[in-house]
Amino acid sequence: TGALISTFLAPDGHRPTTQLAGGLNSVGIHFPGPAESGFAMWQARHFTMAELALPTIGGPQGTPAGDGVLNLLKYAFGMPPFTASRDGLPLAGIVDSGGNPRLKFQYRRLTGPHGLSYQLEISDALNGWTPAESSLQPGEETQPAANGTENVTRYLPVPPTQPERFLRLRVHAP
């Protein structure tokens, strides 16, 4: 799928296509085919062919920045793959709503066709996860953000009988 072209990068940053013997390095660039989209397009924008050949660098489970954040999650949250940062990962906290505590969960999600599903899940003891949709109130708030993403905020009640609850955001490509 896709096509491969070669370009030659000069040490001074120019991109000539001649004089390969003059100290230039060949770099393969992947152009996704017409059937590819989503994550494959993101990979093509950020990685060379050599980097894509190394699953630990260009693959979905790769972490080229060494920050422990997988490429699939960096794609899902609109984060750059080679920047070592956890900015952009989901956040949670307790907020006061008319004297009642609520759990506030925030994350960034891609807009447009992206090929991912985002599922907020809840557990009382980390041994069984269920979709949190039935526990949410009153739904979600969204605000446009940069780079084709939106900020999503979800609220959950904090029942006095269940002071300990756990959340996770499951992101996966079907």
Side-chain angles (χ1 to χ4, degrees), residues 38-40 60-61 72 75-76 114-118 170-174:
F39 185 69
Q61 305 297 311
L72 185 62
Y75 165 64
H114 49 71
L116 298 176
S117 67
Y118 297 76
R170 181 182 293 253
V171 177
H172 57 92

Side-chain angles (χ1 to χ4, degrees), residues 3-7 9 15 27-31 44 47-50 52:
L4 174 67
I5 67 166
S6 289
T7 186
L9 300 178
R15 295 176 153 258
V27 176
I29 300 173
H30 174 71
F31 283 91
F47 299 99
T48 66
M49 289 297 290
L52 287 171

Side-chain angles (χ1 to χ4, degrees), residues 77-79 108-111 143-151:
F77 300 133
M79 301 167 65
R108 193 177 314 149
R109 128 181 111 194
L110 294 172
T111 58
Q143 289 186 321
N147 301 323
T149 63
E150 64 185 357
N151 292 320

